[in-house]
Amino acid sequence: MSYNPLEIIKAMEAALGRGQTDLSEFFHDDFVWSANKGCGTKNGLEAFERNWYGPWRAIFGNQVFKTERYLADGDWTACFGACHATHDGPFMGLAPTGKSVRIPYIDFWRFADGKIIENRVSVDFADVLAQLGTDVFNGHGWEAFDTGARIPPGAS
């Protein structure tokens, strides 16, 4: 391998943090971005920029990415962390609040020809909505098992 996937990921993350609009230096022509419910799947860089990255920048201002750990294994690189930002635009039906939010993420990237060809992502929008005052679990989140507020099914 004549390229370093981890260094490419770190450079790409820095570009995202700067709000760089042209990301083509990092992404393969056949790039696919797929994520958890609420985020969708973006086929190609244009779809990613239009349907994820553009709205992301418009909704969440003052972004600072704080990746806690990177891992690399051959053509795959992964990380987890959080983006710290300001809720500046309409998000999931909520008007902008100006509140600071922490947006947890987990990313897995696969490389081909020295560029990112696949990005599997989990972005914790349920956590972000909770920070903005909306409980998507309507009080039925399993955190209640941890606090003793609810008893787990099957517990004796």
Side-chain angles (χ1 to χ4, degrees):
M1 182 180 319
S2 62
Y3 59 93
N4 184 328
L6 187 55
E7 291 307 314
I8 293 170
I9 292 303
K10 288 181 178 181
M12 183 267 305
E13 185 178 82
L16 292 175
R18 289 190 305 273
Q20 182 174 320
T21 55
D22 180 5
L23 301 173
S24 60
E25 68 183 283
F26 305 108
F27 295 98
H28 195 279
D29 291 340
D30 297 324
F31 173 63
V32 175
W33 187 94
S34 58
N36 53 293
K37 189 76 171 170
C39 297
T41 297
K42 318 310 177 201
N43 291 300
L45 183 55
E46 182 180 325
F48 170 75
E49 288 176 341
R50 182 184 64 245
N51 300 331
W52 178 263
Y53 185 52
W56 178 268
R57 287 188 354 256
I59 295 167
F60 299 112
N62 305 311
Q63 297 177 11
V64 176
F65 289 86
K66 294 185 178 180
T67 298
E68 295 179 42
R69 183 73 58 204
Y70 294 97
L71 305 165
D73 184 13
D75 288 337
W76 283 93
T77 301
C79 80
F80 63 90
C83 177
H84 298 258
T86 306
H87 176 216
D88 287 336
F91 174 65
M92 302 288 175
L94 299 177
T97 63
K99 289 183 177 180
S100 294
V101 293
R102 180 182 175 277
I103 309 161
Y105 57 80
I106 300 170
D107 278 279
F108 290 85
W109 299 277
R110 184 171 60 88
F111 283 78
D113 306 320
K115 291 190 172 189
I116 303 164
I117 193 166
E118 180 180 7
N119 187 190
R120 295 185 185 191
V121 174
S122 178
V123 181
D124 195 345
F125 279 169
D127 189 350
V128 177
L129 287 165
Q131 293 170 60
L132 297 173
T134 299
D135 179 3
V136 299
F137 301 110
N138 197 27
H140 296 279
W142 286 13
E143 295 87 352
F145 300 156
D146 302 331
T147 65
R150 292 182 56 225
I151 297 174
S156 52

mmCIF file of all heavy atoms in Angstrom, residues 20-54:
data_model
loop_
_atom_site.group_PDB
_atom_site.id
_atom_site.type_symbol
_atom_site.label_atom_id
_atom_site.label_comp_id
_atom_site.label_asym_id
_atom_site.label_seq_id
_atom_site.Cartn_x
_atom_site.Cartn_y
_atom_site.Cartn_z
ATOM 1 N N GLN A 20 -14.310 22.868 4.326
ATOM 2 C CA GLN A 20 -13.859 22.774 2.933
ATOM 3 C C GLN A 20 -14.990 22.219 2.073
ATOM 4 O O GLN A 20 -15.628 21.238 2.452
ATOM 5 C CB GLN A 20 -12.630 21.861 2.856
ATOM 6 C CG GLN A 20 -12.041 21.708 1.483
ATOM 7 C CD GLN A 20 -10.743 20.921 1.527
ATOM 8 O OE1 GLN A 20 -9.923 21.092 2.422
ATOM 9 N NE2 GLN A 20 -10.565 20.042 0.554
ATOM 10 N N THR A 21 -15.269 22.859 0.945
ATOM 11 C CA THR A 21 -16.419 22.451 0.128
ATOM 12 C C THR A 21 -16.076 21.400 -0.913
ATOM 13 O O THR A 21 -16.931 20.596 -1.259
ATOM 14 C CB THR A 21 -17.064 23.662 -0.558
ATOM 15 O OG1 THR A 21 -16.075 24.358 -1.304
ATOM 16 C CG2 THR A 21 -17.675 24.595 0.477
ATOM 17 N N ASP A 22 -14.871 21.371 -1.430
ATOM 18 C CA ASP A 22 -14.480 20.353 -2.417
ATOM 19 C C ASP A 22 -13.724 19.245 -1.690
ATOM 20 O O ASP A 22 -12.600 19.443 -1.236
ATOM 21 C CB ASP A 22 -13.613 20.967 -3.510
ATOM 22 C CG ASP A 22 -13.171 19.950 -4.553
ATOM 23 O OD1 ASP A 22 -13.604 18.772 -4.491
ATOM 24 O OD2 ASP A 22 -12.384 20.335 -5.438
ATOM 25 N N LEU A 23 -14.360 18.086 -1.594
ATOM 26 C CA LEU A 23 -13.767 16.952 -0.871
ATOM 27 C C LEU A 23 -13.261 15.861 -1.816
ATOM 28 O O LEU A 23 -12.910 14.771 -1.377
ATOM 29 C CB LEU A 23 -14.800 16.373 0.093
ATOM 30 C CG LEU A 23 -15.332 17.352 1.138
ATOM 31 C CD1 LEU A 23 -16.481 16.723 1.917
ATOM 32 C CD2 LEU A 23 -14.219 17.798 2.074
ATOM 33 N N SER A 24 -13.201 16.145 -3.097
ATOM 34 C CA SER A 24 -12.876 15.121 -4.094
ATOM 35 C C SER A 24 -11.483 14.521 -3.921
ATOM 36 O O SER A 24 -11.254 13.384 -4.329
ATOM 37 C CB SER A 24 -13.026 15.681 -5.507
ATOM 38 O OG SER A 24 -12.163 16.782 -5.714
ATOM 39 N N GLU A 25 -10.560 15.236 -3.289
ATOM 40 C CA GLU A 25 -9.218 14.686 -3.096
ATOM 41 C C GLU A 25 -9.232 13.470 -2.168
ATOM 42 O O GLU A 25 -8.304 12.671 -2.184
ATOM 43 C CB GLU A 25 -8.273 15.756 -2.549
ATOM 44 C CG GLU A 25 -8.596 16.194 -1.125
ATOM 45 C CD GLU A 25 -7.702 17.311 -0.632
ATOM 46 O OE1 GLU A 25 -6.535 17.038 -0.270
ATOM 47 O OE2 GLU A 25 -8.190 18.452 -0.609
ATOM 48 N N PHE A 26 -10.289 13.329 -1.377
ATOM 49 C CA PHE A 26 -10.350 12.247 -0.396
ATOM 50 C C PHE A 26 -11.202 11.061 -0.839
ATOM 51 O O PHE A 26 -11.045 9.958 -0.314
ATOM 52 C CB PHE A 26 -10.919 12.771 0.930
ATOM 53 C CG PHE A 26 -10.173 13.942 1.477
ATOM 54 C CD1 PHE A 26 -10.731 15.208 1.444
ATOM 55 C CD2 PHE A 26 -8.902 13.780 2.011
ATOM 56 C CE1 PHE A 26 -10.049 16.295 1.945
ATOM 57 C CE2 PHE A 26 -8.199 14.868 2.513
ATOM 58 C CZ PHE A 26 -8.766 16.133 2.469
ATOM 59 N N PHE A 27 -12.148 11.285 -1.756
ATOM 60 C CA PHE A 27 -13.161 10.280 -2.049
ATOM 61 C C PHE A 27 -13.062 9.711 -3.462
ATOM 62 O O PHE A 27 -12.887 10.453 -4.431
ATOM 63 C CB PHE A 27 -14.566 10.870 -1.824
ATOM 64 C CG PHE A 27 -14.817 11.219 -0.390
ATOM 65 C CD1 PHE A 27 -14.660 12.520 0.062
ATOM 66 C CD2 PHE A 27 -15.177 10.242 0.524
ATOM 67 C CE1 PHE A 27 -14.871 12.854 1.395
ATOM 68 C CE2 PHE A 27 -15.390 10.559 1.856
ATOM 69 C CZ PHE A 27 -15.236 11.867 2.288
ATOM 70 N N HIS A 28 -13.209 8.416 -3.555
ATOM 71 C CA HIS A 28 -13.201 7.654 -4.800
ATOM 72 C C HIS A 28 -14.438 8.020 -5.625
ATOM 73 O O HIS A 28 -15.475 8.399 -5.067
ATOM 74 C CB HIS A 28 -13.219 6.160 -4.447
ATOM 75 C CG HIS A 28 -12.880 5.255 -5.556
ATOM 76 N ND1 HIS A 28 -13.780 4.877 -6.516
ATOM 77 C CD2 HIS A 28 -11.709 4.629 -5.846
ATOM 78 C CE1 HIS A 28 -13.197 4.054 -7.359
ATOM 79 N NE2 HIS A 28 -11.939 3.890 -6.980
ATOM 80 N N ASP A 29 -14.357 7.864 -6.934
ATOM 81 C CA ASP A 29 -15.501 8.148 -7.814
ATOM 82 C C ASP A 29 -16.721 7.295 -7.477
ATOM 83 O O ASP A 29 -17.853 7.717 -7.689
ATOM 84 C CB ASP A 29 -15.131 7.928 -9.285
ATOM 85 C CG ASP A 29 -14.150 8.976 -9.786
ATOM 86 O OD1 ASP A 29 -14.037 10.053 -9.172
ATOM 87 O OD2 ASP A 29 -13.482 8.699 -10.803
ATOM 88 N N ASP A 30 -16.496 6.084 -6.954
ATOM 89 C CA ASP A 30 -17.590 5.163 -6.636
ATOM 90 C C ASP A 30 -17.944 5.176 -5.145
ATOM 91 O O ASP A 30 -18.494 4.211 -4.613
ATOM 92 C CB ASP A 30 -17.216 3.745 -7.066
ATOM 93 C CG ASP A 30 -17.012 3.632 -8.561
ATOM 94 O OD1 ASP A 30 -17.745 4.307 -9.304
ATOM 95 O OD2 ASP A 30 -16.115 2.886 -8.987
ATOM 96 N N PHE A 31 -17.684 6.262 -4.483
ATOM 97 C CA PHE A 31 -17.898 6.407 -3.049
ATOM 98 C C PHE A 31 -19.359 6.172 -2.649
ATOM 99 O O PHE A 31 -20.284 6.655 -3.292
ATOM 100 C CB PHE A 31 -17.481 7.825 -2.635
ATOM 101 C CG PHE A 31 -17.793 8.196 -1.223
ATOM 102 C CD1 PHE A 31 -17.223 7.531 -0.160
ATOM 103 C CD2 PHE A 31 -18.657 9.254 -0.946
ATOM 104 C CE1 PHE A 31 -17.505 7.892 1.150
ATOM 105 C CE2 PHE A 31 -18.931 9.637 0.359
ATOM 106 C CZ PHE A 31 -18.362 8.943 1.406
ATOM 107 N N VAL A 32 -19.552 5.414 -1.552
ATOM 108 C CA VAL A 32 -20.877 5.207 -0.958
ATOM 109 C C VAL A 32 -20.777 5.494 0.541
ATOM 110 O O VAL A 32 -19.900 4.971 1.220
ATOM 111 C CB VAL A 32 -21.400 3.768 -1.185
ATOM 112 C CG1 VAL A 32 -22.715 3.551 -0.448
ATOM 113 C CG2 VAL A 32 -21.538 3.478 -2.665
ATOM 114 N N TRP A 33 -21.690 6.318 1.029
ATOM 115 C CA TRP A 33 -21.788 6.663 2.446
ATOM 116 C C TRP A 33 -23.098 6.080 2.955
ATOM 117 O O TRP A 33 -24.170 6.417 2.456
ATOM 118 C CB TRP A 33 -21.800 8.194 2.573
ATOM 119 C CG TRP A 33 -21.734 8.757 3.958
ATOM 120 C CD1 TRP A 33 -20.616 9.141 4.618
ATOM 121 C CD2 TRP A 33 -22.833 9.054 4.828
ATOM 122 N NE1 TRP A 33 -20.955 9.652 5.858
ATOM 123 C CE2 TRP A 33 -22.317 9.606 6.004
ATOM 124 C CE3 TRP A 33 -24.209 8.890 4.725
ATOM 125 C CZ2 TRP A 33 -23.108 10.009 7.068
ATOM 126 C CZ3 TRP A 33 -25.010 9.286 5.783
ATOM 127 C CH2 TRP A 33 -24.451 9.836 6.936
ATOM 128 N N SER A 34 -23.035 5.191 3.939
ATOM 129 C CA SER A 34 -24.264 4.595 4.472
ATOM 130 C C SER A 34 -24.245 4.680 5.989
ATOM 131 O O SER A 34 -23.224 4.457 6.622
ATOM 132 C CB SER A 34 -24.425 3.148 4.005
ATOM 133 O OG SER A 34 -23.323 2.366 4.395
ATOM 134 N N ALA A 35 -25.425 5.015 6.535
ATOM 135 C CA ALA A 35 -25.486 5.267 7.973
ATOM 136 C C ALA A 35 -26.771 4.727 8.572
ATOM 137 O O ALA A 35 -27.621 4.156 7.884
ATOM 138 C CB ALA A 35 -25.374 6.771 8.222
ATOM 139 N N ASN A 36 -26.886 4.942 9.866
ATOM 140 C CA ASN A 36 -28.028 4.472 10.639
ATOM 141 C C ASN A 36 -29.302 5.219 10.262
ATOM 142 O O ASN A 36 -29.280 6.216 9.536
ATOM 143 C CB ASN A 36 -27.734 4.611 12.138
ATOM 144 C CG ASN A 36 -27.299 6.013 12.505
ATOM 145 O OD1 ASN A 36 -26.232 6.462 12.099
ATOM 146 N ND2 ASN A 36 -28.122 6.721 13.272
ATOM 147 N N LYS A 37 -30.424 4.756 10.804
ATOM 148 C CA LYS A 37 -31.732 5.365 10.572
ATOM 149 C C LYS A 37 -31.691 6.856 10.912
ATOM 150 O O LYS A 37 -31.104 7.251 11.905
ATOM 151 C CB LYS A 37 -32.777 4.652 11.453
ATOM 152 C CG LYS A 37 -34.188 5.029 11.164
ATOM 153 C CD LYS A 37 -34.648 4.368 9.897
ATOM 154 C CE LYS A 37 -36.137 4.574 9.706
ATOM 155 N NZ LYS A 37 -36.564 4.159 8.397
ATOM 156 N N GLY A 38 -32.282 7.630 10.056
ATOM 157 C CA GLY A 38 -32.297 9.069 10.237
ATOM 158 C C GLY A 38 -31.223 9.785 9.442
ATOM 159 O O GLY A 38 -31.272 10.995 9.276
ATOM 160 N N CYS A 39 -30.246 9.027 8.950
ATOM 161 C CA CYS A 39 -29.131 9.616 8.209
ATOM 162 C C CYS A 39 -29.162 9.266 6.723
ATOM 163 O O CYS A 39 -28.824 10.087 5.888
ATOM 164 C CB CYS A 39 -27.810 9.153 8.801
ATOM 165 S SG CYS A 39 -27.561 9.675 10.504
ATOM 166 N N GLY A 40 -29.531 8.033 6.400
ATOM 167 C CA GLY A 40 -29.659 7.637 5.002
ATOM 168 C C GLY A 40 -28.412 7.056 4.378
ATOM 169 O O GLY A 40 -27.419 6.789 5.042
ATOM 170 N N THR A 41 -28.482 6.886 3.061
ATOM 171 C CA THR A 41 -27.384 6.370 2.242
ATOM 172 C C THR A 41 -27.144 7.353 1.108
ATOM 173 O O THR A 41 -28.092 7.794 0.464
ATOM 174 C CB THR A 41 -27.725 4.978 1.675
ATOM 175 O OG1 THR A 41 -27.894 4.079 2.771
ATOM 176 C CG2 THR A 41 -26.627 4.462 0.759
ATOM 177 N N LYS A 42 -25.888 7.684 0.879
ATOM 178 C CA LYS A 42 -25.518 8.632 -0.175
ATOM 179 C C LYS A 42 -24.633 7.904 -1.179
ATOM 180 O O LYS A 42 -23.549 7.446 -0.837
ATOM 181 C CB LYS A 42 -24.768 9.838 0.394
ATOM 182 C CG LYS A 42 -25.314 10.424 1.698
ATOM 183 C CD LYS A 42 -26.786 10.711 1.715
ATOM 184 C CE LYS A 42 -27.219 11.216 3.086
ATOM 185 N NZ LYS A 42 -28.621 11.055 3.328
ATOM 186 N N ASN A 43 -25.119 7.790 -2.397
ATOM 187 C CA ASN A 43 -24.371 7.114 -3.461
ATOM 188 C C ASN A 43 -23.625 8.143 -4.293
ATOM 189 O O ASN A 43 -24.230 8.866 -5.080
ATOM 190 C CB ASN A 43 -25.310 6.289 -4.343
ATOM 191 C CG ASN A 43 -25.868 5.111 -3.590
ATOM 192 O OD1 ASN A 43 -25.121 4.257 -3.132
ATOM 193 N ND2 ASN A 43 -27.177 5.071 -3.426
ATOM 194 N N GLY A 44 -22.331 8.234 -4.081
ATOM 195 C CA GLY A 44 -21.493 9.171 -4.805
ATOM 196 C C GLY A 44 -21.192 10.416 -3.996
ATOM 197 O O GLY A 44 -21.942 10.801 -3.092
ATOM 198 N N LEU A 45 -20.079 11.066 -4.352
ATOM 199 C CA LEU A 45 -19.643 12.253 -3.631
ATOM 200 C C LEU A 45 -20.637 13.396 -3.770
ATOM 201 O O LEU A 45 -20.910 14.117 -2.807
ATOM 202 C CB LEU A 45 -18.253 12.684 -4.111
ATOM 203 C CG LEU A 45 -17.642 13.886 -3.397
ATOM 204 C CD1 LEU A 45 -17.581 13.677 -1.890
ATOM 205 C CD2 LEU A 45 -16.262 14.181 -3.968
ATOM 206 N N GLU A 46 -21.215 13.566 -4.951
ATOM 207 C CA GLU A 46 -22.180 14.649 -5.146
ATOM 208 C C GLU A 46 -23.382 14.493 -4.210
ATOM 209 O O GLU A 46 -23.824 15.448 -3.574
ATOM 210 C CB GLU A 46 -22.654 14.696 -6.592
ATOM 211 C CG GLU A 46 -23.611 15.835 -6.874
ATOM 212 C CD GLU A 46 -24.076 15.881 -8.323
ATOM 213 O OE1 GLU A 46 -23.284 15.551 -9.219
ATOM 214 O OE2 GLU A 46 -25.249 16.240 -8.530
ATOM 215 N N ALA A 47 -23.903 13.261 -4.110
ATOM 216 C CA ALA A 47 -25.040 13.010 -3.209
ATOM 217 C C ALA A 47 -24.630 13.228 -1.753
ATOM 218 O O ALA A 47 -25.403 13.778 -0.958
ATOM 219 C CB ALA A 47 -25.577 11.601 -3.412
ATOM 220 N N PHE A 48 -23.419 12.819 -1.390
ATOM 221 C CA PHE A 48 -22.925 13.028 -0.034
ATOM 222 C C PHE A 48 -22.841 14.530 0.279
ATOM 223 O O PHE A 48 -23.309 14.983 1.325
ATOM 224 C CB PHE A 48 -21.551 12.378 0.139
ATOM 225 C CG PHE A 48 -20.858 12.732 1.425
ATOM 226 C CD1 PHE A 48 -21.263 12.170 2.626
ATOM 227 C CD2 PHE A 48 -19.814 13.638 1.434
ATOM 228 C CE1 PHE A 48 -20.620 12.510 3.818
ATOM 229 C CE2 PHE A 48 -19.174 13.979 2.615
ATOM 230 C CZ PHE A 48 -19.575 13.410 3.807
ATOM 231 N N GLU A 49 -22.263 15.285 -0.643
ATOM 232 C CA GLU A 49 -22.110 16.721 -0.412
ATOM 233 C C GLU A 49 -23.458 17.433 -0.363
ATOM 234 O O GLU A 49 -23.679 18.303 0.466
ATOM 235 C CB GLU A 49 -21.207 17.332 -1.485
ATOM 236 C CG GLU A 49 -19.750 16.924 -1.304
ATOM 237 C CD GLU A 49 -18.834 17.428 -2.413
ATOM 238 O OE1 GLU A 49 -19.331 17.779 -3.512
ATOM 239 O OE2 GLU A 49 -17.617 17.461 -2.184
ATOM 240 N N ARG A 50 -24.386 17.057 -1.243
ATOM 241 C CA ARG A 50 -25.692 17.711 -1.304
ATOM 242 C C ARG A 50 -26.616 17.271 -0.171
ATOM 243 O O ARG A 50 -27.310 18.088 0.441
ATOM 244 C CB ARG A 50 -26.365 17.428 -2.646
ATOM 245 C CG ARG A 50 -27.724 18.123 -2.816
ATOM 246 C CD ARG A 50 -28.425 17.747 -4.117
ATOM 247 N NE ARG A 50 -28.745 16.331 -4.140
ATOM 248 C CZ ARG A 50 -28.205 15.448 -5.010
ATOM 249 N NH1 ARG A 50 -27.355 15.836 -5.929
ATOM 250 N NH2 ARG A 50 -28.542 14.178 -4.954
ATOM 251 N N ASN A 51 -26.641 15.976 0.140
ATOM 252 C CA ASN A 51 -27.647 15.417 1.053
ATOM 253 C C ASN A 51 -27.138 15.124 2.466
ATOM 254 O O ASN A 51 -27.920 14.685 3.315
ATOM 255 C CB ASN A 51 -28.247 14.147 0.456
ATOM 256 C CG ASN A 51 -28.919 14.421 -0.866
ATOM 257 O OD1 ASN A 51 -29.418 15.515 -1.122
ATOM 258 N ND2 ASN A 51 -28.923 13.433 -1.740
ATOM 259 N N TRP A 52 -25.858 15.331 2.707
ATOM 260 C CA TRP A 52 -25.334 15.164 4.064
ATOM 261 C C TRP A 52 -24.461 16.346 4.470
ATOM 262 O O TRP A 52 -24.776 17.082 5.398
ATOM 263 C CB TRP A 52 -24.548 13.858 4.226
ATOM 264 C CG TRP A 52 -23.984 13.746 5.619
ATOM 265 C CD1 TRP A 52 -22.729 14.061 6.049
ATOM 266 C CD2 TRP A 52 -24.690 13.366 6.806
ATOM 267 N NE1 TRP A 52 -22.601 13.897 7.412
ATOM 268 C CE2 TRP A 52 -23.801 13.460 7.891
ATOM 269 C CE3 TRP A 52 -26.002 12.948 7.043
ATOM 270 C CZ2 TRP A 52 -24.168 13.156 9.198
ATOM 271 C CZ3 TRP A 52 -26.354 12.643 8.340
ATOM 272 C CH2 TRP A 52 -25.446 12.739 9.401
ATOM 273 N N TYR A 53 -23.366 16.517 3.768
ATOM 274 C CA TYR A 53 -22.370 17.497 4.188
ATOM 275 C C TYR A 53 -22.903 18.937 4.129
ATOM 276 O O TYR A 53 -22.675 19.713 5.050
ATOM 277 C CB TYR A 53 -21.115 17.331 3.337
ATOM 278 C CG TYR A 53 -19.957 18.196 3.734
ATOM 279 C CD1 TYR A 53 -19.498 18.220 5.045
ATOM 280 C CD2 TYR A 53 -19.308 18.993 2.802
ATOM 281 C CE1 TYR A 53 -18.422 19.018 5.409
ATOM 282 C CE2 TYR A 53 -18.232 19.786 3.153
ATOM 283 C CZ TYR A 53 -17.793 19.791 4.461
ATOM 284 O OH TYR A 53 -16.735 20.582 4.814
ATOM 285 N N GLY A 54 -23.628 19.289 3.091
ATOM 286 C CA GLY A 54 -24.210 20.634 2.985
ATOM 287 C C GLY A 54 -25.198 20.914 4.105
ATOM 288 O O GLY A 54 -25.073 21.925 4.814
#
